[in-house]
Amino acid sequence: MTVGPDTPWRGIHVATPLPLRSDLSVDYDAYAEHVRFLAAGGCDGVCPNGSLGEYQTLSDEERARMVRTAVEASPEGHTVMPGVSAYGALEARRWAEQAAEAGADSVLLLPPNTYRADREAVVAHYREVAAAGLPVVAYNNPHDTRVDLTPDLLAELHAEGLIVAVKEFSGDVRRAYELAELAPGLDLIIGADDVLLELGLAGAVGWIAGYPGVLPESCVELYRLATSGEPADIAKALPLYRDLHPLLRWDSKTEFVQSIKLSMDVVGLRGGPCRPPRTPLRPEIAERVVRDTEAAVAKGYK
C-alpha cells in the first residue's frame, strides 16, 4: 500500500523531539529545520507533540505553535500528524480542531491516560475526538497508559468509523494477525522501532518512528525493504535490521527521549536537553547510547 491524499497516515512519520535552548525554551527555527531535513531524507511526515515531543511539558501556546511550525515547514506531500492526547476527551478534541485549523492531515490519539478507563469510556473518548473531522490514528501503549487497546476493542472503534489506523506499541507482534482478522480495513502502524521487521512482515503500512529522526535515509531504506512483501527485499532488510537493532531498541526504553536526543547530538543534529521531569541520562547509559550510535555511523548508516 502506498501513501496518498486519502491515506496521509501511511508511510514513515517521525515522532519528532522537542528542540530546546539552554534555558529550556522551545527553538522553533531548529524544529522547522529538522522537519525539512526529514522530508529531504525521504520520510513521509512528522508527528509533533507526541511522547518524544514532550507534549506534557508544553504550554497551550507552545503546543499549538509546534503544530503550525510543522505544517509551515513541511514541503508539499509531507504530512503532519500531531499528537492530540490530553487529560480528557473535550481537551483532546480541541487539540484535534486546532490541528485541523493549522492544516494537519491526521491526528494521533492515546486513550484516556490518567486512569484505567473502561471500554465505554474509551469508545466515548475516541467518538468525541473523531467528531473534529480529521482521520484519527489510535495509539496503543498499555505500558504507560494503563489502557490496552486490544484487537477486539480496536475493531469496535474502526467499525464505528472512529479510527483509520493504530500505532501498535504493545510489543506483542502476534496481535497484528488477530487485528487483520477482526478489522481487515484498519491500517496497522508500527509503533516501536525494535519491532519494525516483525510488524512489517505482518502487513504494516506505516511506521511512527523515533530513530528515523536520527538516521532518516537508512531507516527509510529499511522500512521500504521490510514492508515490500518481496522475499528478496526481506533478505536485504535482515542484515540492516541486525546492524541497527542495538540502536532501535532504545526507542522502547524508559529513557527513549533522552537517548534519541543524545543520538541526534552524536550525528551532528540538534538534540539537546529535556524539560523536567526528565533528567540527563546516567553516565553508563549515555555511554551505551553513544557507542551504539557511533557503531551505526561507522557502518555507513545515515
Side-chain angles (χ1 to χ4, degrees), residues 51 71 88 98 106 114 139 143 152 175-176 178 213 278 290 292:
S51 301
V71 171
Q98 183 270 329
S106 61
T114 54
Y139 181 2
H143 310 292
D152 65 303
R175 292 186 176 203
E178 184 179 2
R278 288 186 171 89
V290 170
D292 291 340

Side-chain angles (χ1 to χ4, degrees), residues 250 254-263 278-287 289-290:
W250 285 106
T254 302
E255 311 88 356
F256 73 107
V257 178
Q258 299 98 313
S259 299
I260 290 173
K261 281 190 164 185
L262 178 55
S263 289
R278 288 186 171 89
T279 57
L281 293 172
R282 299 197 308 272
E284 65 272 18
I285 294 179
E287 289 172 7
V289 172
V290 170

Side-chain angles (χ1 to χ4, degrees), residues 68-93:
R68 294 195 302 269
T69 301
V71 171
E72 291 166 3
S74 292
E76 185 175 357
H78 192 252
T79 52
V80 179
M81 185 197 304
V84 296
S85 301
Y87 182 83
L90 297 178
E91 183 181 0
R93 176 173 175 170

Side-chain angles (χ1 to χ4, degrees), residues 27-39 69 73 269-270:
D27 190 335
Y28 298 100
D29 290 339
Y31 183 66
E33 182 179 353
H34 192 217
V35 171
R36 291 189 288 266
F37 167 76
L38 296 174
T69 301
L269 299 173
R270 173 72 173 275

